[in-house]
Amino acid sequence: MAGAGGKPKAAEGPPSNFIRSIVADDVRSGKHARIVTRFPPEPNGYLHIGHAKAICVDFGIAGEFGGVCNLRFDDTNPAKEEVEYVESIQEDVRWLGFDWGENLFYASDYFERLHDWAVDLIRGGKAYVDSLTPDEIREYRGTLTKAGRNSPYRDRPIEESLDLFARMRAGEFEEGTHVLRAKIDMASPNVNLRDPALYRVRKAAHHRTGDRWCIYPMYDYAHPLSDAIEHVTHSLCTLEFADHRPLYDWCIENLDVPSRPRQIEFARLNLSYTVMSKRRLRELVADGLVSGWDDPRMPTLAGLRRRGFTPEAIRDFCERIGVAKADNLVDVALLEHCLREDLNRRAPRTMAVLRPLKVVIDNYPEGAEEELEAVNNPEDPAMGKRTVPFSRELWIEHEDFREVPPPKYFRLSPGTEVRLRWGYLIRCTGVVKDASGEPTEVHCTYDPETRGGNAPDGRKVKSTIHWVSARHAVPAEVRLYDRLFSVEAPEGPSWKEHLNPNALETLERCWIEPSLAGAAPGSHWQFERLGYFVVDEDSRSDRKVFNRTVSLRDTWARIEKKGF
Ligand code: ATP
Ligand code: MG
């Protein structure tokens, strides 16, 4: 299936993909008794929607074949890693709906073994301590078109390398003075094989091992060996690691490791109108351009959760985009489409007014009120009914009234009749304006015969608008979101200049129907005609804050129908 996504979900089970086929073959041939995969985040930031794809693939494959997926922190770089990230990553994986059971590991737990294997490599003449400067190493490495040159230290005696490596570990050398390198091939067309570094000196405290180490293994060395230690059968990762696979295999083949994992690469997820590298996301947080990792504009799982995305919608999205070998840019409209499908099922309908305009129903008795019956979810009768209070003064949406209606405007304007959702038909009789000509109060009459929304004489109205009874309304703040970037693929050194300045709009004087007064943080609601909303954690008992998760207009359904 194409990575572009958008194909309807297969009715029977998930569609196949090349990874499922490989694993199925390995199961059939008896190559592995048990399938083991792993999700290996580096704890240097929060997880994003791209990681969600990897998590769904890693845990999904293991789950389908009755195996396990390990959660392994790839914590080999002490400088950038923090406990906060270790915790947020676990929370996010769990929230997405996956369980690693007992299988929580840290690459740092293997430091001793990784070190001993490095000594084995030196003893076997397969690794050496190089004493060139970092600049010299770069220069000796050559380029894509030019072969590299051997370091003058490449053939230093094994005993000397062993001694230097021991002294590197003992802390005798400063960063950048010595490095342990694999002895492979400086002329290899694959730059990754030109005597790659295996260990370097880093005098930094590690979040788990403290000051115990001052040499740290490189990712390309630690990763295959960690996989082997954990008996990972299929090490699934993104395409940028394809060129590293020969080095992955070299490590496995040249050491006496307990198992032989196989690396398989798939395309990473890129999503339009956002950025997806932790480095860039970290920059947005550090520069204060967003309120934090969980800012609802962020493509992080914490941000999406706060925005009101559900794990079900994200998993559905990951299933639909599929797993392929070609990089592409997925339309964020598809993600939003999956979200609307899920929220349509789960979110009760309610009424709220975001930009209020007062309506006075002159022929409704002052002081009177009544309860009107409203359906909670037309898609799901089991969600039942509620009542909404009605009285003489209401709030309606400012844009639902026009003193001089443009063509095809069927909402409220002087002389026209509209339906109040779940209520009566009302006809506009006049408008009060302020000094600048802005309407401040709309006057109407209601037809008492139309309770519930239909006229006994069968006359039709062209529009139904939402409303809240002014006397009963509860105040709220509502935050509206738009795309984080105003271009599809923000790239280049000036990527931050493409941030959308209108990605957050805060409306502080909104009114919600009283049934929402007790809505719990994290609960999902549809505000009729306005979209899906979630109660934000900033809510206080006397003041609710809602985030708009997504509007109701589904651009993906339109794209799908038109076929482009
Ligand atoms: P970033 O580039 O955002 O920093 P990363 O690859 O450095 O991401 P890791 O913590 O190393 O982040 O990633 C853990 C796993 O998630 C890796 O196996 C990686 O391949 C996968 N992954 C990261 N980004 C994506 C993405 N956009 N789509 C699919 N998988 C991804
Ligand atoms: Mg990484």
Side-chain angles (χ1 to χ4, degrees), residues 453-564:
N454 291 311
D457 65 4
R459 73 179 186 278
K460 296 274 183 272
V461 293
K462 284 214 166 105
S463 184
T464 300
I465 64 172
H466 61 274
W467 54 276
V468 182
S469 164
R471 193 190 317 153
H472 304 91
V474 175
E477 175 180 322
V478 173
R479 299 172 185 167
L480 303 180
Y481 298 96
D482 197 351
R483 291 163 182 176
L484 183 54
F485 288 87
S486 40
V487 297
E488 261 201 338
E491 271 157 16
S494 58
W495 61 277
K496 277 188 281 187
E497 283 166 26
H498 300 297
L499 273 170
N500 174 7
N502 304 316
L504 167 62
E505 183 181 7
T506 303
L507 303 174
E508 295 187 359
R509 309 175 60 153
C510 309
W511 296 104
I512 55 178
E513 64 169 73
S515 74
L516 283 168
S523 58
H524 303 275
W525 305 89
Q526 187 193 101
F527 293 172
E528 294 216 32
R529 300 176 65 222
L530 299 174
Y532 295 101
F533 294 74
V534 69
V535 181
D536 190 79
E537 62 198 39
D538 283 347
S539 297
R540 301 188 312 252
S541 58
D542 61 334
R543 185 176 175 77
K544 287 269 169 296
V545 177
F546 286 86
N547 296 320
R548 178 152 72 184
T549 307
V550 67
S551 70
L552 294 177
R553 200 163 50 100
D554 191 338
T555 51
W556 183 261
R558 258 194 351 221
I559 293 167
E560 223 172 20
K561 212 152 67 204
K562 285 195 198 156
F564 61 84

Side-chain angles (χ1 to χ4, degrees), residues 89-108:
I89 288 169
Q90 295 185 51
E91 182 183 350
D92 289 346
V93 174
R94 236 181 255 124
W95 175 74
L96 249 198
F98 297 103
D99 183 8
W100 54 87
E102 310 274 276
N103 305 301
L104 176 64
F105 303 113
Y106 295 83
S108 56

Side-chain angles (χ1 to χ4, degrees), residues 53-66:
K53 172 176 178 177
I55 293 168
C56 288
V57 172
D58 295 334
F59 281 89
I61 289 283
E64 273 169 49
F65 291 93

Side-chain angles (χ1 to χ4, degrees), residues 404-425:
V404 183
K408 301 230 172 98
Y409 185 91
F410 300 119
R411 290 169 274 169
L412 213 51
S413 63
T416 56
E417 189 174 46
V418 301
R419 177 184 297 108
L420 293 173
R421 181 70 158 152
W422 311 118
Y424 294 95
L425 302 188

